[in-house]
Amino acid sequence: MRMTDYPPALILLVGVVLLPLLKGRVRWTVAFALPVIALADAWAVIQAGTDSFVPFIGMQLNPVHVHAATPVFATVFAIMVLGGLLYALNQKRESELPAACLYAGGALGVLFCGDLVSMFVFWEVMTLGSTVLIWAGRQNDSYGAGMRYFGMHAAGGVMLLMGIIIVISQRIHAGDPNPLEFRHFDAMVDSWSTLSWQSGGMWLILLGMLVNAGAPPFSSWIPDAYPQGSPSGTVMLSAFTTKTAVFTLLVAFSGVEVVIYFGLYMAIYGVIYGLLENDIRRLLSYSLVNQVGFMLVGIGIGTRLSIDGAAGHAFAHIIYKALLFMATGSVLFATGRTKMNQLGGLYKSMPVTMWCLIIGGLSISGFPFTSGFTSKSMVVQAIVNESARMAELGQPHTYLIVTWFLFEAATAGVFIDACVKLTWFVFFQKDSGLRPPEVPWNMKAAMIGFAGICIFLGFFPGPLYAILPYKAEAADYANVVFSIDHVMVMLGMLAFSGLSFFVLLPLMKRTESITLDVDWIWRRFIPKFWHDVATPILQQLASVQKLLLDFLPGNGSSDAGSMPTIVRRRLPGSWAVSVPVFMISAMLLLYLVIYFWLLPAQGG
Amino acid sequence: MTPGERKAARIAWAVGLLVLGAIMLVDLGVHHHAHFEGDGLSFDTLPEFWPLYGFGATFVLLIVAKTLAVALKRKDTFYADD
């Protein structure tokens, strides 16, 4: 077999086994070589364009396949691993490098999957790697956050798996020659009208992917989990899970209207929660949700330009978001602090970090001549184009106009969030008295390198446009993006949004607080309900249990006076994982029973 | 705030306002096209619409956020015993 017959992900997965066995320079040399080889191999596979198949219970797995969006995602994933490793060079945690390879390997694997089963396997590999990466962070709540993260993704994984099983069985029934194929779900483009028992499989797959994208009501896992990584671990974490979800949504659900609404909610949610946040890495996690929201809007629009926009923005986003997490990680590394109310005045001693953070902040806002400007604007333009097309056809399109204005408002919002607010409270405001030295050379080099990419793509987006799914559309758009009209729209909007921040500065005073989110339900309400309501009821039932057991022959001396086993102990740590997975599994099992037994009886 | 810092803040405000003024001035000379012309919407071509939109949008977002915080803000140790 040729090299291009194997998934490029295997190269990174080799690192999981190899890296723990190596020490010192050899370890780092291998760590740097792996993403470079993986990138070269990925492009060899892309150029060859061939598929590779593996027999699987009478069907064909297709672990090597090139989707239209594979080149852009594979390229940025490899660049990200390389930059992330350079940034992590001086970290001491032994488990972090193999975990990063497992995580990135899983993500890269998904990009080349031509079938749903291989996709699911790599998807779960990614979950495993990212969970270990969170645990390796060894922050105050790394273990708990890792468990909650794993629980959330295990629940999403169960939905995805059930959806895949249903879709495959439906395809087999319909006589599909390739039932495992990971392809676009055309039937979903009609959106809400397809919500039925028959389309349940597709909806479950969509929901499973949306959980990983950080869509509502499960957006809170991102600010909960990512800030618990180490400075370098969080940089890696920011790149893969959500963007792999974006990739899979792009392949399977582009043009599905409901995805627009999920995206729009995320774009606004990310800004509002970010504005209230005091922790610099939690703030960036919220703005990550905001940006993935922009990508989802592009996917939901589903035109060639919007798909290019979503994919191009994912590329730009991975780089500038990693840059922002590198800069905030450097602040944590140098000061040991992440709370804005405890920081300030660092411009004097950390100028490189400050400028890199500003460049990342400008890029995330789509400031003219940064990478976000040349990528996000494609989605913006695609909304306008699609609205005009629908107006010509006389179809309802007000939602697109509203989406567009909210989209622009969220863009202005993320500018004050991730650029102005972050820079102001960390590097200026009051003098915290902290004078930490700049971070080591490798961290600076990684930041400067990524900042360079942000600026380069802002002036010369051509190389990025050339690897997008519909490169011709993006290339045509290049003239529009640099027009004086467009530049002044963005410049005027962003500059004056910055003014509003300073006008309202007294309202922005930082306090050591968090903002409650939907996760309050499973982190506080359900456990409290269990403890204060359910447990007392079950304790009362203990007397009934005693009575029943006493009636049983030979059980007279049983330990019936104690509480039922289920309430005897406090909820264990694994509750975060077992309960959601159990509930989702039970629900889906019920669905499967109804689907397979009841519907055929009704002729469904 | 030391006297030096106060002076630096005043200079920063002055420079910032100058830049904003320059942007407004340049914006007057730029012809903005209407994004939703087909729907008869052309208010986004009005002079200084975009600076105003940027200011207004973030102003509203900030106020919404602060209003939300009244109900949802908690000490950051809220989940500490999880």
Side-chain angles (χ1 to χ4, degrees):
Chain A
M1 279 178 92
R2 293 160 302 168
M3 188 70 180
T4 50
D5 292 334
Y6 294 100
L10 291 183
I11 294 164
L12 290 179
L13 295 177
V14 164
V16 181
V17 187
L18 204 57
L19 289 173
L21 304 174
L22 304 171
K23 294 273 173 230
R25 277 169 188 252
V26 182
R27 177 177 155 92
W28 282 108
T29 310
V30 171
F32 282 120
L34 289 172
V36 175
I37 299 170
L39 178 63
D41 186 41
W43 270 94
V45 172
I46 290 164
Q47 301 285 353
T50 50
D51 283 49
S52 149
F53 294 95
V54 180
F56 173 72
I57 52 168
M59 289 176 275
Q60 295 279 326
L61 293 183
N62 183 197
V64 180
H65 174 82
V66 180
H67 296 277
T70 301
V72 62
F73 280 84
T75 306
V76 74
F77 278 14
I79 294 173
M80 179 59 231
V81 178
L82 200 60
L85 289 177
L86 176 61
Y87 184 80
L89 198 58
N90 50 340
Q91 64 85 28
K92 302 276 190 294
R93 296 165 179 83
E94 291 278 321
S95 54
E96 199 169 294
L97 277 192
C101 283
L102 186 68
Y103 180 33
L108 193 62
V110 171
L111 305 183
F112 285 90
C113 284
D115 73 280
L116 292 163
V117 176
S118 315
M119 190 269 280
F120 178 75
V121 171
F122 280 116
W123 188 270
E124 292 306 314
V125 167
M126 192 173 63
T127 299
L128 211 61
S130 48
T131 307
V132 178
L133 208 50
I134 295 166
W135 283 336
R138 296 183 207 154
Q139 307 286 315
N140 286 341
D141 192 27
S142 288
Y143 177 74
M147 290 303 281
R148 288 191 293 277
Y149 173 89
F150 189 72
M152 180 66 70
H153 290 270
V158 170
M159 284 197 266
L160 187 64
L161 180 62
M162 290 295 177
I164 288 172
I165 292 170
I166 292 168
V167 164
I168 291 173
S169 62
Q170 282 174 324
R171 286 177 179 173
I172 291 171
H173 274 289
D176 192 319
N178 194 0
L180 300 188
E181 192 180 0
F182 175 36
R183 59 173 183 243
H184 189 258
F185 291 116
D186 299 316
M188 289 287 279
V189 175
D190 293 333
S191 199
W192 300 107
S193 58
T194 63
L195 182 55
S196 67
W197 287 105
Q198 274 76 14
S199 67
M202 286 187 286
W203 276 90
L204 284 171
I205 293 176
L206 175 63
L207 291 177
M209 290 175 178
L210 285 172
V211 168
N212 268 28
F218 304 115
S219 309
S220 58
W221 67 259
I222 296 178
D224 182 30
Y226 285 179
Q228 295 301 325
S230 69
S232 48
T234 301
V235 170
M236 285 287 187
L237 284 166
S238 74
F240 300 114
T241 306
T242 48
K243 261 60 75 185
T244 305
V246 166
F247 170 82
T248 54
L249 286 165
L250 213 149
V251 170
F253 296 105
S254 57
V256 174
E257 190 183 316
V258 69
V259 178
I260 299 177
Y261 304 123
F262 276 108
L264 201 56
Y265 174 91
M266 289 163 73
I268 303 287
Y269 158 93
V271 168
I272 289 179
Y273 273 71
L275 284 171
L276 297 171
E277 187 52 56
N278 184 42
D279 184 290
I280 51 179
R281 298 201 301 169
R282 277 177 63 89
L283 184 153
L284 287 180
S285 303
Y286 284 122
S287 65
L288 194 157
V289 179
N290 156 280
Q291 296 294 303
V292 174
F294 290 154
M295 292 168 218
L296 259 55
V297 170
I299 293 168
I301 300 289
T303 62
R304 292 162 70 98
L305 183 60
S306 79
I307 288 170
D308 273 356
H313 196 49
F315 185 106
H317 170 79
I318 287 174
I319 302 293
Y320 62 64
K321 182 54 80 178
L323 173 59
L324 285 164
F325 272 116
M326 283 177 186
T328 50
S330 296
V331 171
L332 169 63
F333 183 88
T335 67
R337 299 178 186 185
T338 57
K339 292 177 183 176
M340 280 184 250
N341 66 321
Q342 297 174 359
L343 292 163
L346 294 183
Y347 75 94
K348 290 171 186 158
S349 55
M350 299 182 75
V352 175
T353 303
M354 181 190 78
W355 282 108
C356 287
L357 187 132
I358 290 175
I359 291 170
L362 291 174
S363 301
I364 199 173
S365 328
F367 199 86
F369 308 110
T370 62
S371 56
F373 176 67
T374 49
S375 60
K376 183 163 49 186
S377 306
M378 281 187 274
V379 181
V380 176
Q381 187 61 39
I383 302 172
V384 174
N385 293 354
E386 182 63 0
S387 171
R389 190 185 71 84
M390 291 178 85
E392 270 178 31
L393 294 172
Q395 291 174 347
H397 60 282
T398 312
Y399 71 97
L400 286 173
I401 301 174
V402 174
T403 297
W404 190 82
F405 276 101
L406 289 176
F407 196 107
E408 293 291 50
T411 299
V414 82
F415 174 64
I416 54 168
D417 238 1
C419 189
V420 180
K421 178 181 166 186
L422 210 50
T423 310
W424 173 255
F425 283 109
V426 174
F427 295 99
F428 297 97
Q429 62 149 341
K430 64 178 190 334
D431 186 357
S432 60
L434 296 167
R435 296 290 183 274
E438 267 288 10
V439 287
W441 71 269
N442 61 300
M443 296 169 93
K444 276 193 283 194
M447 286 193 286
I448 293 169
F450 273 26
I453 297 175
C454 289
I455 301 286
F456 177 82
L457 290 178
F459 282 96
F460 310 104
L464 171 60
Y465 291 170
I467 55 172
L468 294 178
Y470 301 107
K471 32 189 111 27
E473 293 277 321
D476 288 345
Y477 175 68
N479 296 328
V480 180
V481 76
F482 291 117
S483 68
I484 183 78
D485 175 12
H486 184 224
V487 170
M488 285 310 293
V489 163
M490 292 307 291
L491 200 61
M493 189 173 76
L494 295 180
F496 278 79
S497 69
L499 176 68
S500 75
F501 173 83
F502 287 104
V503 168
L504 292 175
L505 197 55
L507 280 182
M508 298 300 293
K509 193 174 170 339
R510 297 292 86 218
T511 52
E512 297 198 347
S513 61
I514 56 162
T515 311
L516 292 187
D517 203 331
V518 179
D519 63 348
W520 172 83
I521 295 171
W522 54 88
R523 291 186 70 179
R524 190 43 59 94
F525 175 75
I526 295 176
K528 216 168 162 51
F529 179 83
W530 175 259
H531 187 263
D532 295 348
V533 180
T535 305
I537 293 172
L538 287 169
Q539 276 170 336
Q540 292 305 315
L541 288 176
S543 53
V544 180
Q545 182 193 30
K546 180 180 183 306
L547 221 96
L548 287 173
L549 287 174
D550 283 346
F551 271 112
L552 289 175
N555 265 3
S557 61
S558 72
D559 184 23
S562 61
M563 280 190 291
T565 318
I566 196 166
V567 293
R568 208 173 293 153
R569 57 202 159 87
R570 203 178 179 279
L571 290 170
S574 59
W575 185 87
V577 178
S578 55
V579 171
V581 174
F582 172 77
M583 284 167 65
I584 299 256
S585 305
M587 207 176 69
L588 293 173
L589 199 65
L590 186 72
Y591 172 79
L592 279 175
V593 169
I594 294 172
Y595 181 77
F596 284 109
W597 274 276
L598 297 186
L599 277 186
Q602 296 165 7
Chain B
M1 212 183 236
T2 62
E5 284 172 337
R6 219 169 282 138
K7 191 178 167 197
R10 267 202 303 273
I11 294 172
W13 264 106
V15 172
L17 290 174
L18 264 175
V19 170
L20 293 177
I23 288 172
M24 287 182 81
L25 214 64
V26 174
D27 198 55
L28 280 177
V30 173
H31 169 71
H32 290 297
H33 74 279
H35 289 88
F36 301 99
E37 215 166 6
D39 297 282
L41 301 176
S42 59
F43 57 84
D44 52 340
T45 61
L46 291 171
E48 312 303 349
F49 173 80
W50 288 105
L52 198 70
Y53 188 73
F55 185 87
T58 40
F59 194 93
V60 171
L61 281 168
L62 271 164
I63 298 299
V64 170
K66 292 307 284 185
T67 312
L68 209 66
V70 174
L72 299 179
K73 198 165 147 174
R74 296 288 184 280
K75 215 109 174 91
D76 61 4
T77 50
F78 183 73
Y79 290 122
D81 59 339
D82 271 8

